[in-house]
Amino acid sequence: MARQMRKIYNRIPSGSRNDPVAVAKSYAEHLFEPGRRTQILGERRLINKNFNIGLQDEIGNFEQLTKRAVLVSDTLLLSHGPHAPYYHVGVKSQTDDTTDFDTGRPQQGTTRTIRYGIHCPNMTALGTWLLEAEPIIRAGLAWYLPSYTKSTEYAGPHGDSSYPPSQVSAVDYIMRGGRLIDPSESRPVKDRLVRPVLEIDLPFIDGVTMEDFSKITIDEFDSYKGFRGFLRTSFLSMGDALNSEQSQLELTKLRLEIEDQVSAMESDLRTAKRKRALGTVGATVASTAALLIAVEGSVMERVLTTLGLTTAGTFWGAIKDRVENGPRAIENGKWYYVWVLSRKANSL
């Protein structure tokens, strides 16, 4: 899916990026394949994976859905429902030439004309989301499946014909009036992931723009994957509590745990910065110390004492500690991603 999304973005005319409606229309044009029966790429793979989630929202508030569902999904599919307003996208025609078997000469063929559009409550909002979510869409973490309606007409030497409009959809859940509705093909594992992530209070993402969320998620991808695994495990371990009066209590406890871990991350980063400063000083004097010890050992001893390092072994131990416990090592942990989001949201 990531490869397909990159192709679509690369085909968007550069001048269109200043016009969200043009971006949305271009996206729908490139994804539509008139020869495909359902117009859904890799439908079976998307539906059968536990961590590939499809959400349909007829109102179109994709920003909040994206920032939450991406925290538990491998691939998030978003769509507008077929009841949303219709927006005409384009017309595609193709004429198939035939040969007269009696004379061997070409004869008039049949022309197939497909008129198609998508159901979307707000094309400007859709185009804006496509631009702001571009980093995570290009990475295959999310994508948009237009709800197409098409009509097909045939014109040829044997008469004209037409077929009624058809629609497609591939979602696990429908958002209607702010509530989550289960279709019959919903999977239990997805249910235990989607419902809590839409209900839990997460201030560290609510205060972040879609554009910043997308960039941070890709920039801190390793840390993001660690936090995603933590949320999945946490939600799945709640079990039947999600279907009882204890659900809100469990989600509140999880939110408090997240807040505690982010506060601890702040403290760890401050400590790591101090260690980094010490390591920088030590690395700076390393070459000078080598010259000093060659001249007089007592001078080297005074240098180490000044730095608070009584022996050369302690000095090199500090350098090793800087490498193992500095900011770089912390940034690979699952809480660093949440901490960066919190900083951007000013929720600390």
Side-chain angles (χ1 to χ4, degrees), residues 63-140:
E63 178 174 332
Q64 290 302 315
L65 287 178
T66 304
K67 289 191 296 185
R68 288 175 171 273
V70 160
L71 297 179
V72 294
S73 64
D74 285 337
T75 299
L76 171 65
L77 180 156
L78 290 175
S79 179
H80 292 119
H83 301 295
Y86 175 81
Y87 181 90
H88 177 71
V89 174
V91 178
K92 294 189 178 184
S93 298
Q94 180 178 353
T95 300
D96 300 321
D97 293 329
T98 59
T99 301
D100 188 315
F101 291 103
D102 295 331
T103 64
R105 296 177 180 178
Q107 66 178 7
Q108 180 183 0
T110 299
T111 299
R112 181 180 64 168
T113 301
I114 298 177
R115 307 177 192 279
Y116 68 99
I118 66 173
H119 294 267
C120 175
N122 189 321
M123 289 289 283
T124 300
L126 172 60
T128 300
W129 177 82
L130 287 169
L131 290 171
E132 294 180 347
E134 181 175 352
I136 60 175
I137 296 176
R138 279 181 172 270

Side-chain angles (χ1 to χ4, degrees), residues 40-54 74-75 77 143 170-172 185-190 193:
I40 300 172
L41 302 174
E43 176 182 359
R44 180 174 301 176
R45 177 178 59 83
L46 288 168
I47 293 176
N48 291 337
K49 293 278 188 176
N50 282 333
F51 298 118
N52 288 339
I53 296 170
D74 285 337
T75 299
L77 180 156
W143 68 295
V171 298
D172 302 300
E185 58 268 27
S186 175
R187 299 174 65 92
V189 172
K190 293 183 181 182
L193 295 174

Side-chain angles (χ1 to χ4, degrees), residues 219-256:
D219 289 348
E220 311 300 339
F221 192 73
D222 288 341
S223 180
Y224 152 73
K225 287 195 298 183
F227 181 67
R228 182 179 64 183
F230 165 79
L231 274 189
R232 286 176 178 174
T233 302
S234 298
F235 290 151
L236 292 175
S237 65
M238 288 181 184
D240 295 336
L242 293 178
N243 299 318
S244 69
E245 59 185 12
Q246 296 296 318
S247 60
Q248 290 304 315
L249 176 60
E250 293 295 326
L251 292 178
T252 300
K253 288 167 58 179
L254 178 58
R255 176 179 62 81
L256 292 174

